[in-house]
Amino acid sequence: MNEYAYLAAYHDHPTHPKISGQIVDVVGKRIFHGTVHLHEGKIEKITEESNNESIFILPGFVDSHIHIESSMLTPYEFSRMALPHGTIATVSDPHEIANVLGMEGILYMLDNAKKSPLKFYFGAPSCVPATTFETAGATITAENIEVLFRDHGLKYLAEMMNYPGVFASRSSRHGQNRSSTEIQAKSRRTCSRIAQ
């Protein structure tokens, strides 16, 4: 919810804040006049009722794949630009900053994102550098991925860009390579972590 809308609703009704307007029901595919009742910052209920409000109230957008660093903004500054346009969360792959700064860059993004009201769901970069043909400033190993999962709360492995390495690992004539070895190590660790 927009921080300013919540504060205004709280100011008008401090014990039970509410926001009235035209509610966009994306599941029911309709728009109706109603009120969103809040409790401790969460939606408690939505009631259909007559009102004269012209504002539209609708769910926020989740950007399902983004590299925040491509915007040339920090996560905090990105959130300042995205929130007013309805984006409330992102599924983010910090691969690009990892390519340049490695773990230091990933940890910077995680720390900076904590200061933002937008929710950032970062994945662990799966292949840095992306291929053996790339010159990168850092390398992310299976051990680094384990640290990100264990100590920093990351929950998923981000996009795999070294598809030749994945395909090569399927063929016995190519044998094991760095990409397939790391995928297997990361998969084992991820699966065992989820099972716990």
Side-chain angles (χ1 to χ4, degrees):
M1 161 182 275
N2 180 306
E3 180 181 357
Y4 302 111
Y6 179 75
L7 290 174
Y10 184 80
H11 181 268
D12 293 341
H13 306 277
T15 55
H16 295 287
K18 58 186 181 177
I19 300 173
S20 296
Q22 297 183 58
I23 298 174
V24 179
D25 179 356
V26 295
V27 175
K29 299 180 182 173
R30 67 189 189 110
I31 299 173
F32 61 90
H33 289 278
T35 300
V36 177
H37 301 265
L38 307 166
H39 180 70
E40 295 180 1
K42 296 189 185 311
I43 296 174
E44 184 176 50
K45 65 181 175 178
I46 298 173
T47 56
E48 189 167 349
E49 56 192 43
S50 181
N51 64 59
N52 294 325
E53 298 292 337
S54 60
I55 64 165
F56 287 90
I57 303 169
L58 64 154
F61 301 113
V62 176
D63 189 324
S64 62
H65 182 89
I66 189 167
H67 301 270
I68 300 298
E69 56 275 46
S70 291
S71 70
M72 303 300 280
L73 298 170
T74 64
Y76 180 82
E77 290 300 321
F78 177 88
S79 73
R80 288 190 41 201
M81 301 293 115
L83 280 168
H85 297 284
T87 299
I88 61 166
T90 70
V91 178
S92 304
D93 179 356
H95 172 266
E96 294 173 7
I97 198 162
N99 244 349
V100 177
L101 294 173
M103 285 291 284
E104 181 183 347
I106 297 168
L107 297 178
Y108 170 81
M109 297 296 275
L110 295 173
D111 184 56
N112 187 267
K114 290 176 187 171
K115 301 169 187 166
S116 164
L118 189 143
K119 294 185 188 302
F120 291 95
Y121 297 99
F122 283 102
S126 61
C127 50
V128 174
T131 71
T132 56
F133 305 109
E134 184 175 310
T135 302
T139 300
I140 299 295
T141 65
E143 289 74 25
N144 295 139
I145 298 297
E146 176 65 21
V147 168
L148 291 170
F149 286 155
R150 185 188 64 232
D151 299 342
H152 300 285
L154 275 65
K155 304 286 187 209
Y156 68 94
L157 200 56
E159 69 180 302
M160 171 52 74
M161 290 166 286
N162 183 7
Y163 68 89
V166 174
F167 289 132
S169 71
R170 298 174 121 182
S171 170
S172 60
R173 70 172 188 253
H174 292 297
Q176 291 289 92
N177 59 33
R178 175 182 173 268
S179 183
S180 64
T181 303
E182 287 200 5
I183 292 171
Q184 290 171 9
K186 293 168 190 172
S187 297
R188 277 193 304 276
R189 289 183 175 129
T190 302
C191 292
S192 66
R193 181 177 164 80
I194 291 169
Q196 292 176 349

